[in-house]
Amino acid sequence: MKLGPFSISLSVKDLQASKEFYEKLGFSSMGGDMKQNYLIMKNENAIIGIFKGMFEGNILTVNHGWD
């Protein structure tokens, strides 16, 4: 089964530390706002959202038709 494009949203305790961690893995910010407690980060075709205090747990979103 091919899922197609998908993104993952991660609930984090420390947004700045998480941003720095994912930057070390090659991700860069492509959206969001630190002041609003979230960032969207991308590394080639991998997209993650890091969110502080917005929801409990992590969320996987399959985005059919995104490609």
Side-chain angles (χ1 to χ4, degrees):
M1 171 172 51
K2 292 185 179 181
L3 290 178
F6 68 90
S7 62
I8 187 164
S9 299
L10 304 173
S11 180
V12 300
K13 292 180 182 180
D14 185 329
L15 191 62
Q16 182 63 41
S18 297
K19 175 184 181 284
E20 292 170 7
F21 173 80
Y22 286 105
E23 285 174 337
K24 288 178 185 175
L25 295 178
F27 285 82
S28 59
S29 295
M30 65 170 281
D33 187 341
M34 292 284 288
K35 293 178 185 174
Q36 293 184 7
N37 291 324
Y38 80 101
L39 288 176
I40 308 302
M41 302 188 77
K42 184 173 184 172
N43 182 349
E44 295 186 18
N45 64 347
I47 298 174
I48 60 171
I50 51 176
F51 298 84
K52 180 181 175 190
M54 291 191 174
F55 52 85
E56 205 173 297
N58 301 319
I59 302 169
L60 175 66
T61 305
V62 178
N63 301 296
H64 298 287
W66 241 16
D67 55 356

